[in-house]
Amino acid sequence: KSRDCNKKRDLPESLLSVKNIAFTYPGAKKETLHDISFEIYPGQTVALMGYNGAGKSTLMNLLAGLTKQSAGKIKFLNDGIIRNAHLIGYLRQEPDLMLLADSVLEELYWKNKNADEKYINNIIDKMSLREYVNDFPLALSKGQRLRTVLGALLARKPKLLLLDEPTAGQDQQSLDEIKELIAFFAAGGGSVLFCTHDIELAGEIADRVILMAEGNLIADDDAGNVLSNTE
């Protein structure tokens, strides 16, 4: 019998706790999310998977505090998620809309009151952005723009990264760099929840897979157990 990753005895206190949440869009006749519960722990990398329309992006918006659940509770660091929003980095499906500065370097320091120069320099190297630090972000390639946004999120030293389809449309080099970034962040104790349709990516970097279908959570277990389950 496969074990439930949310009940591991050796895990520390959860970073994010989702209890029985539901969500219905205004004017909709039925719920988009139904009775969703799970926890994420420090240092975990979790893949959120399911067909289009399963409710993944809706769930991500709730976790980021952009919308409010219709029922249930979301706790981050045992507190309301909105008050801790600065500790959550959310990469949406349209990362170009998150580019606001005139240079890559400015983007990494954008409204970052506690900027750590050494840490940001490390991010620049990890994301292969050194030669572009003075360039206008929107003039860069798609992969470079995405890495700039991810770098800016990381520069704030969040506790949790929410990534909605971070590898969609990326070439192999960008894909490798994004995987390296996620590993770098998790190795420092950060937690990652990322939406993906890429089974190979989930199998390679995720500790757990949460699988959704029609607004329901239908599996939550070790990545190998979920991805090898033919049912």
Side-chain angles (χ1 to χ4, degrees):
K1 182 179 180 180
S2 63
R3 56 197 170 93
D4 183 347
C5 285
N6 289 336
K7 297 179 180 178
K8 291 181 180 177
R9 295 176 183 174
D10 58 340
L11 284 171
E13 188 173 6
S14 65
L15 178 73
L16 176 72
S17 175
V18 176
K19 299 290 185 186
N20 308 115
I21 66 167
F23 180 77
T24 305
Y25 282 101
K29 294 183 178 180
K30 68 176 198 174
E31 289 181 334
T32 297
L33 299 178
H34 323 288
D35 196 26
I36 303 289
S37 297
F38 62 89
E39 295 187 348
I40 293 178
Y41 298 89
Q44 278 195 329
T45 299
V46 183
L48 180 62
M49 305 186 75
Y51 290 119
N52 288 334
K56 303 185 301 299
S57 291
T58 300
L59 177 58
M60 290 290 238
N61 285 335
L62 292 176
L63 299 181
L66 299 185
T67 50
K68 177 73 175 174
Q69 66 270 20
S70 307
K73 292 183 179 180
I74 299 173
K75 287 190 174 182
F76 181 69
L77 294 173
N78 282 324
D79 200 353
I81 198 163
I82 300 298
R83 282 186 283 173
N84 291 283
H86 64 289
L87 294 176
I88 299 173
Y90 182 27
L91 176 74
R92 303 180 71 174
Q93 286 188 5
E94 308 86 13
D96 285 357
L97 299 179
M98 301 174 68
L99 293 169
L100 303 169
D102 292 330
S103 74
V104 169
L105 191 61
E106 286 180 50
E107 204 71 58
L108 295 175
Y109 280 91
W110 182 264
K111 293 186 177 180
N112 189 347
K113 296 179 181 179
N114 301 310
D116 181 334
E117 184 176 356
K118 183 178 179 181
Y119 183 70
I120 290 176
N121 269 314
N122 194 6
I123 291 171
I124 289 170
D125 290 331
K126 286 281 183 186
M127 300 306 291
S128 301
L129 292 170
R130 178 65 59 189
E131 64 182 291
Y132 308 108
V133 290
N134 296 315
D135 290 1
F136 182 53
L138 287 171
L140 300 176
S141 71
K142 182 177 181 179
Q144 291 159 355
R145 297 196 305 270
L146 178 63
R147 298 201 304 275
T148 299
V149 174
L150 284 171
L153 291 176
L154 271 189
R156 295 173 177 270
K157 295 187 176 180
K159 297 286 187 182
L160 173 66
L161 277 181
L162 302 173
L163 310 177
D164 199 349
E165 297 283 354
T167 61
Q170 299 298 316
D171 59 25
Q172 189 59 48
Q173 180 181 347
S174 291
L175 184 61
D176 290 342
E177 286 162 351
I178 292 166
K179 289 190 288 189
E180 182 180 351
L181 171 80
I182 291 174
F184 162 74
F185 181 67
S191 301
V192 181
L193 177 65
F194 68 101
C195 286
T196 187
H197 292 283
D198 189 334
I199 294 175
E200 184 177 342
L201 177 69
E204 185 175 348
I205 69 172
D207 305 310
R208 275 167 61 199
V209 170
I210 293 175
L211 185 62
M212 294 182 66
E214 298 181 347
N216 296 292
L217 193 159
I218 62 171
D220 178 7
D221 205 344
D222 287 337
N225 290 345
V226 175
L227 297 175
S228 63
N229 187 331
T230 55
E231 293 180 19

